[in-house]
Every structure is written in C-alpha cells, then in structure tokens.
Amino acid sequence: EAYESGDLLAALSAVPFGREAKSEPEKTYRAAALLSVGDIGEANALLDDPRIASPAANAIRLLTAVVRGQEPANTDAPLESASHSLASSYREQRFGSLDKALNLAILATEQSPEFGFAWARVAELEGHIKKLKVKIA
C-alpha cells in the first residue's frame, strides 16, 4: 500500500528484512523497494536468479542495466507491464530518442492510469523536449 501510494521510505521500512525472501514475488518487491531508494547492488542481487522472470523483475533488471550505462541486448521483448514500458522509456532516452522515450512513458500511463511515476515521467520528458525545441528555434 505504501509503495503504491508513493511513500517509498514507508514501503522500504515495511519489508521484513529480518528473514530471507523465499518467493519470487517477495524477492521482486524487495528489489523494487531497494531500487526506489537507490540500492541497485542489493536489488540486482535479489534478482540474480534467472528463474525469476516476472514482468516486474524483468522491468527492474532493464532499469538497473540502463542506470549502469549498459544497453540491454533484448530490446524487442514485449512490454509486459507499465513498469516495463517505463523502464524502456529510460532505456530509449539513454540510447535512442526522446520522442520514443515519451511514447513509451505515455504507453505506461495507458497500461496503468493510476501509476504516478509514469505520469511524472511523461511530464519530465515533455519538459525536456520543449526545452530542446526552444534551443533549436
């Protein structure tokens, strides 16, 4: 509930770190919570098991690769979720075009209309594109 409402610190504090995460959903949630506060190394460590192949885990892997400056090999994979579309938006901004990045962020809002991070991403990219057009003109 805290994570969905955007209260990332509360979400992280609700994670039961006193015990080992055993299920795929729990590992993925922990990784998402850790990533939201910048702990990329621990987030990746939780998802190191290739058998963890949920759309959320794949989106986290994609986003962490982009943050590390690594262009992911499989960029033609289907966009399985709003999180995956949003992670693809960051990949496109870094390695492709702002217009495509914006289209992917818009897709994320269409896939999940209440996904606040996606709406914030759309606004961020629209601002970048507007500034570029002003500089060019």
Side-chain angles (χ1 to χ4, degrees), residues 1-15 29 32-33 36-37 114-117:
E1 199 172 288
Y3 185 82
E4 287 181 6
S5 72
D7 189 348
L8 302 177
L9 293 178
L12 187 62
S13 69
V15 174
Y29 177 78
S36 71
V37 294
E114 295 183 18
F115 188 18
F117 295 120

Short mmCIF file of all heavy atoms in Angstrom, two decimals, residues 1-15 29 32-33 36-37 114-117:
data_model
loop_
_atom_site.label_atom_id
_atom_site.label_comp_id
_atom_site.label_asym_id
_atom_site.label_seq_id
_atom_site.Cartn_x
_atom_site.Cartn_y
_atom_site.Cartn_z
N GLU A 1 0.83 -1.20 0.00
CA GLU A 1 0.00 0.00 0.00
C GLU A 1 0.87 1.26 0.00
O GLU A 1 0.62 2.20 -0.75
CB GLU A 1 -0.91 -0.02 1.24
CG GLU A 1 -2.10 0.88 1.14
CD GLU A 1 -3.04 0.67 2.30
OE1 GLU A 1 -3.71 -0.38 2.34
OE2 GLU A 1 -3.06 1.55 3.19
N ALA A 2 1.90 1.26 0.85
CA ALA A 2 2.80 2.43 0.91
C ALA A 2 3.53 2.61 -0.41
O ALA A 2 3.67 3.73 -0.90
CB ALA A 2 3.79 2.27 2.06
N TYR A 3 3.99 1.52 -1.02
CA TYR A 3 4.71 1.60 -2.29
C TYR A 3 3.79 2.15 -3.38
O TYR A 3 4.17 3.04 -4.13
CB TYR A 3 5.23 0.21 -2.67
CG TYR A 3 6.09 0.21 -3.92
CD1 TYR A 3 7.43 0.55 -3.85
CD2 TYR A 3 5.56 -0.13 -5.15
CE1 TYR A 3 8.23 0.56 -4.99
CE2 TYR A 3 6.35 -0.13 -6.29
CZ TYR A 3 7.68 0.21 -6.20
OH TYR A 3 8.47 0.21 -7.33
N GLU A 4 2.58 1.64 -3.45
CA GLU A 4 1.64 2.09 -4.48
C GLU A 4 1.26 3.55 -4.32
O GLU A 4 0.98 4.23 -5.29
CB GLU A 4 0.39 1.22 -4.46
CG GLU A 4 0.64 -0.16 -5.05
CD GLU A 4 -0.61 -1.02 -5.07
OE1 GLU A 4 -1.71 -0.54 -4.73
OE2 GLU A 4 -0.48 -2.20 -5.43
N SER A 5 1.27 4.05 -3.08
CA SER A 5 0.91 5.45 -2.86
C SER A 5 2.11 6.39 -3.04
O SER A 5 1.97 7.59 -2.95
CB SER A 5 0.30 5.64 -1.48
OG SER A 5 1.31 5.52 -0.48
N GLY A 6 3.29 5.81 -3.26
CA GLY A 6 4.48 6.62 -3.49
C GLY A 6 5.30 6.91 -2.24
O GLY A 6 6.29 7.63 -2.30
N ASP A 7 4.91 6.35 -1.10
CA ASP A 7 5.67 6.55 0.14
C ASP A 7 6.76 5.49 0.19
O ASP A 7 6.62 4.45 0.85
CB ASP A 7 4.75 6.46 1.35
CG ASP A 7 5.43 6.88 2.64
OD1 ASP A 7 6.68 7.02 2.65
OD2 ASP A 7 4.72 7.05 3.64
N LEU A 8 7.86 5.76 -0.48
CA LEU A 8 8.90 4.76 -0.66
C LEU A 8 9.63 4.39 0.63
O LEU A 8 9.98 3.24 0.84
CB LEU A 8 9.89 5.23 -1.73
CG LEU A 8 9.24 5.51 -3.09
CD1 LEU A 8 10.28 6.04 -4.06
CD2 LEU A 8 8.54 4.30 -3.64
N LEU A 9 9.84 5.37 1.49
CA LEU A 9 10.52 5.05 2.75
C LEU A 9 9.65 4.16 3.64
O LEU A 9 10.14 3.23 4.27
CB LEU A 9 10.92 6.33 3.47
CG LEU A 9 12.01 7.15 2.77
CD1 LEU A 9 12.30 8.44 3.53
CD2 LEU A 9 13.27 6.34 2.58
N ALA A 10 8.34 4.44 3.67
CA ALA A 10 7.44 3.58 4.44
C ALA A 10 7.38 2.18 3.83
O ALA A 10 7.35 1.18 4.55
CB ALA A 10 6.04 4.19 4.51
N ALA A 11 7.39 2.12 2.51
CA ALA A 11 7.38 0.82 1.83
C ALA A 11 8.62 0.03 2.19
O ALA A 11 8.55 -1.17 2.49
CB ALA A 11 7.27 1.01 0.32
N LEU A 12 9.76 0.69 2.18
CA LEU A 12 11.01 0.01 2.50
C LEU A 12 11.03 -0.44 3.95
O LEU A 12 11.46 -1.54 4.27
CB LEU A 12 12.20 0.93 2.21
CG LEU A 12 13.57 0.30 2.33
CD1 LEU A 12 13.75 -0.85 1.34
CD2 LEU A 12 14.65 1.33 2.12
N SER A 13 10.52 0.39 4.85
CA SER A 13 10.53 0.02 6.26
C SER A 13 9.56 -1.12 6.56
O SER A 13 9.71 -1.81 7.57
CB SER A 13 10.21 1.23 7.15
OG SER A 13 8.87 1.62 6.99
N ALA A 14 8.58 -1.35 5.68
CA ALA A 14 7.63 -2.45 5.87
C ALA A 14 8.17 -3.79 5.39
O ALA A 14 7.57 -4.83 5.66
CB ALA A 14 6.32 -2.13 5.15
N VAL A 15 9.29 -3.78 4.68
CA VAL A 15 9.87 -5.02 4.17
C VAL A 15 10.49 -5.78 5.34
O VAL A 15 11.30 -5.23 6.08
CB VAL A 15 10.94 -4.72 3.08
CG1 VAL A 15 11.65 -6.00 2.66
CG2 VAL A 15 10.30 -4.04 1.89
N TYR A 29 9.51 -7.67 -4.93
CA TYR A 29 9.06 -6.49 -4.17
C TYR A 29 10.23 -5.88 -3.40
O TYR A 29 10.42 -4.67 -3.41
CB TYR A 29 7.93 -6.85 -3.21
CG TYR A 29 7.52 -5.65 -2.40
CD1 TYR A 29 6.72 -4.66 -2.95
CD2 TYR A 29 7.98 -5.48 -1.09
CE1 TYR A 29 6.37 -3.53 -2.23
CE2 TYR A 29 7.64 -4.35 -0.36
CZ TYR A 29 6.84 -3.39 -0.94
OH TYR A 29 6.50 -2.27 -0.22
N ALA A 32 12.39 -4.00 -5.78
CA ALA A 32 11.77 -2.73 -6.18
C ALA A 32 11.89 -1.69 -5.07
O ALA A 32 12.20 -0.52 -5.32
CB ALA A 32 10.30 -2.95 -6.53
N ALA A 33 11.66 -2.11 -3.83
CA ALA A 33 11.76 -1.19 -2.70
C ALA A 33 13.20 -0.69 -2.54
O ALA A 33 13.44 0.50 -2.32
CB ALA A 33 11.27 -1.86 -1.42
N SER A 36 14.11 1.73 -5.31
CA SER A 36 13.46 3.04 -5.17
C SER A 36 14.24 3.98 -4.27
O SER A 36 14.07 5.19 -4.34
CB SER A 36 12.03 2.87 -4.65
OG SER A 36 12.03 2.48 -3.29
N VAL A 37 15.11 3.44 -3.43
CA VAL A 37 15.95 4.28 -2.58
C VAL A 37 17.42 4.23 -3.01
O VAL A 37 18.31 4.62 -2.28
CB VAL A 37 15.80 3.93 -1.07
CG1 VAL A 37 14.40 4.25 -0.60
CG2 VAL A 37 16.17 2.49 -0.79
N GLU A 114 -3.27 4.89 -13.05
CA GLU A 114 -3.01 5.44 -11.72
C GLU A 114 -1.54 5.35 -11.32
O GLU A 114 -1.18 5.60 -10.17
CB GLU A 114 -3.89 4.73 -10.69
CG GLU A 114 -5.37 5.01 -10.92
CD GLU A 114 -6.25 4.38 -9.88
OE1 GLU A 114 -5.76 4.02 -8.80
OE2 GLU A 114 -7.45 4.24 -10.16
N PHE A 115 -0.66 5.02 -12.26
CA PHE A 115 0.77 4.86 -12.00
C PHE A 115 1.42 6.24 -12.00
O PHE A 115 1.80 6.77 -13.04
CB PHE A 115 1.36 3.95 -13.07
CG PHE A 115 2.78 3.52 -12.86
CD1 PHE A 115 3.41 3.58 -11.64
CD2 PHE A 115 3.50 3.00 -13.94
CE1 PHE A 115 4.73 3.17 -11.47
CE2 PHE A 115 4.81 2.58 -13.79
CZ PHE A 115 5.42 2.66 -12.55
N GLY A 116 1.55 6.82 -10.82
CA GLY A 116 2.05 8.19 -10.68
C GLY A 116 3.44 8.40 -11.26
O GLY A 116 3.73 9.46 -11.82
N PHE A 117 4.32 7.41 -11.13
CA PHE A 117 5.67 7.55 -11.67
C PHE A 117 5.63 7.71 -13.19
O PHE A 117 6.43 8.43 -13.77
CB PHE A 117 6.55 6.35 -11.30
CG PHE A 117 6.81 6.23 -9.82
CD1 PHE A 117 6.41 5.09 -9.13
CD2 PHE A 117 7.44 7.24 -9.12
CE1 PHE A 117 6.64 4.97 -7.77
CE2 PHE A 117 7.67 7.13 -7.76
CZ PHE A 117 7.27 5.99 -7.08
#
